[in-house]
Amino acid sequence: MKIVIHARHAELAEDFREIAHEKLMSMERFNVTIDRVEVEILHEQNPRQGKHAHRVILTSHGAGPLMRAEAAEFNDLAAFDEAIKNFELQIRKHHEKSKSHDRETLRNKPLADSD
């Protein structure tokens, strides 16, 4: 999975890239094909937007479905954490849809002949 980070009007924390890479790579545990994830960080210059001045947008590209998650919080890492929660819910939902749930129960199994 390739991770592309764009920062618009924002200075990133030193460890933001490492944290983002680690959390996004943990999404590979689901059986969803994602080739590239774009992380866009926006900073609102308006001082009245203090609590929601930092916005993070995650967008996936690949053979799987197009997924997008967005969150706005008081700093970049908090916004990224909220966005990654929404992103994980979407990936988990797609993963669960693709699983086969048609298991046979004991009631439906044929009886074995005991000869």
Side-chain angles (χ1 to χ4, degrees):
M1 176 187 321
K2 183 178 177 184
I3 300 169
V4 180
I5 298 177
H6 300 288
R8 306 213 191 275
H9 309 292
E11 293 291 326
L12 291 179
E14 297 171 3
D15 58 346
F16 183 83
R17 290 183 190 275
E18 296 171 11
I19 292 169
H21 189 275
E22 179 182 320
K23 288 187 178 186
L24 286 169
M25 290 309 251
S26 73
M27 298 296 143
E28 287 187 342
R29 68 183 185 266
F30 300 110
N31 193 17
V32 178
T33 306
I34 298 174
D35 295 334
R36 180 180 57 156
V37 175
E38 291 183 6
V39 180
E40 189 172 354
I41 298 111
L42 304 167
H43 180 69
E44 181 66 42
Q45 298 296 329
N46 187 350
R48 291 185 182 195
Q49 300 292 327
K51 290 184 181 178
H52 303 290
H54 297 270
R55 176 177 288 158
V56 174
I57 303 169
L58 301 174
T59 309
S60 71
H61 300 279
L66 175 70
M67 290 179 269
R68 188 172 186 274
E70 184 174 339
E73 289 291 330
F74 62 94
N75 69 11
D76 295 333
L77 289 173
F80 181 76
D81 286 340
E82 279 298 312
I84 200 77
K85 284 179 191 175
N86 296 335
F87 197 66
E88 183 178 359
L89 286 174
Q90 291 178 26
I91 291 175
R92 185 182 305 272
K93 186 176 177 181
H94 184 73
H95 175 73
E96 290 293 324
K97 273 186 183 178
S98 66
K99 284 203 295 192
S100 175
H101 292 289
D102 55 338
R103 299 183 194 104
E104 288 188 17
T105 63
L106 290 175
R107 289 183 186 162
N108 298 337
K109 279 191 173 185
L111 294 174
D113 293 332
S114 58
D115 288 328

